[in-house]
Amino acid sequence: MMLVRLNTRHELPQIAMRQTQSRLDESGIIQPRPQGRNVQARSNKTVTQSQLTLDNYPSRRAYGHRTMNDLTAEQGQRGISNAQSATSEHTRKAWASADNAAKRGDDISQNARAEMFSNYQARTIFDLTFIPDPQMRGQPGQVIGEPDLGDISVDIETAPSARIRYTPGSVETYLQNEGFIRHWVSYDNYEVYA
């Protein structure tokens, strides 16, 4: 007697997916660009030397030390004064001799001798002169100049908006194989499929 055998063959359904990655195009991003100035600060300061001015010429002049200009001016004035005085004296003597030459008791040689020796008599001369103090003027050193504060500034240039292109990804699922279940009957043995 033949035995009836029930054969079953099945295949599971298969689901497949198609996937696309999302993409972000960053080439449109404009990086900020800094632009700046950097001027170093400078003091621009300097110090002047202190000065001392000493004028001692008035006191030296009181002692008799003169400059060549003053000495020549004084000697020139003295020469003019001496010439005027000598001319006046000679004129006076000439008129006196002319008026008194014929009179008795007027001995010209005796008068000349007396005048000559009168110039050589010892006379004490005191000359009192105020000697002024030297004049001194001092000027202290000073710090002059205006500092330069420099300038450090940074300007950052940015774009108002980024130009970015974004492509969204996608996932698509589909049935690659529907699968199946089949049954059939065989006799005496099972049918085996590889």
Side-chain angles (χ1 to χ4, degrees):
M1 153 161 188
M2 292 185 44
L3 290 174
V4 178
R5 310 274 187 198
L6 178 61
N7 294 300
T8 302
R9 181 168 180 196
H10 71 88
E11 194 172 283
L12 295 174
Q14 293 178 345
I15 297 175
M17 289 193 311
R18 242 182 249 118
Q19 179 178 344
T20 305
Q21 296 289 333
S22 60
R23 282 186 299 174
L24 179 64
D25 185 7
E26 300 177 7
S27 63
I29 296 177
I30 300 172
Q31 295 295 329
R33 287 179 294 177
Q35 294 176 347
R37 271 183 67 171
N38 187 357
V39 178
Q40 295 296 320
R42 297 177 190 272
S43 70
N44 291 337
K45 296 269 187 181
T46 185
V47 178
T48 61
Q49 295 292 327
S50 56
Q51 295 178 350
L52 178 64
T53 305
L54 177 64
D55 184 11
N56 60 357
Y57 180 66
S59 60
R60 287 190 304 120
R61 185 173 181 196
Y63 281 110
H65 301 287
R66 294 171 182 83
T67 62
M68 188 56 73
N69 290 339
D70 284 351
L71 182 62
T72 54
E74 283 179 19
Q75 293 301 323
Q77 190 63 35
R78 184 174 168 194
I80 291 170
S81 174
N82 286 347
Q84 289 173 347
S85 169
T87 303
S88 152
E89 182 68 23
H90 289 309
T91 304
R92 185 188 63 75
K93 285 182 184 178
W95 281 110
S97 295
D99 289 340
N100 299 326
K103 293 182 183 176
R104 186 178 277 249
D106 185 25
D107 188 2
I108 295 174
S109 63
Q110 188 177 0
N111 287 341
R113 186 178 297 127
E115 185 181 341
M116 183 173 68
F117 284 113
S118 72
N119 287 336
Y120 291 105
Q121 291 177 359
R123 287 184 263 167
T124 305
I125 298 173
F126 291 101
D127 189 11
L128 298 176
T129 306
F130 170 73
I131 298 175
D133 293 331
Q135 297 175 356
M136 289 189 298
R137 285 188 302 275
Q139 182 177 355
Q142 296 177 343
V143 178
I144 58 173
E146 290 296 323
D148 181 6
L149 300 179
D151 181 19
I152 297 176
S153 60
V154 177
D155 294 329
I156 300 176
E157 181 182 330
T158 58
S161 61
R163 292 185 301 244
I164 300 173
R165 285 194 300 261
Y166 174 70
T167 306
S170 63
V171 177
E172 180 187 349
T173 58
Y174 59 94
L175 190 60
Q176 186 175 4
N177 191 356
E178 292 182 2
F180 59 89
I181 298 175
R182 290 195 193 119
H183 301 286
W184 69 92
V185 177
S186 64
Y187 296 100
D188 281 337
N189 59 358
Y190 287 107
E191 292 181 1
V192 179
Y193 294 98

